[in-house]
Amino acid sequence: MTTSWSLSLCVQSKTSADTRALADALVTDEEIHWSASKESFEFHLREQKSKDLRAMWNTRMRGIIAVDSLLSSLSAKSEGSSTKTD
């Protein structure tokens, strides 16, 4: 008898644009399911072996973390910039 392993993640970022960017990072790897309000999305991973599920989870999370880090960096730079001159 083979046990099937699964994980689900629901994602919602600070803004809908950031949430969309996180979903776009997964578009080639996972089927994304948007909530009715379109404010969050979820995806599900299923594997026969727990070690395979862990590997898939790590890969997806690295992608999400990279995009989130980039979004945070861009946000911090735009908040710190100013066109005002004295």
Side-chain angles (χ1 to χ4, degrees):
M1 182 172 144
T2 304
T3 302
S4 181
W5 294 84
S6 66
L7 280 169
S8 299
L9 179 66
C10 181
V11 178
Q12 181 176 357
S13 193
K14 294 173 278 195
T15 68
S16 59
D18 286 359
T19 303
R20 170 56 71 181
L22 294 172
D24 288 346
L26 296 170
V27 75
T28 59
D29 299 320
E30 295 303 326
E31 183 177 338
I32 301 300
H33 304 279
W34 286 95
S35 65
S37 65
K38 302 289 186 193
E39 292 179 7
S40 65
F41 68 90
E42 65 181 24
F43 67 94
H44 310 280
L45 298 174
R46 292 173 188 83
E47 294 292 335
Q48 293 299 314
K49 297 179 180 179
S50 61
K51 68 179 183 175
D52 293 339
L53 180 63
R54 181 188 58 81
M56 297 299 282
W57 177 257
N58 287 342
T59 300
R60 301 311 180 263
M61 292 308 299
R62 278 193 298 273
I64 289 174
I65 289 167
V67 171
D68 185 59
S69 178
L70 176 61
L71 293 171
S72 294
S73 176
L74 293 173
S75 175
K77 287 185 180 185
S78 67
E79 290 171 3
S81 68
S82 175
T83 56
K84 182 180 176 185
T85 59
D86 292 323

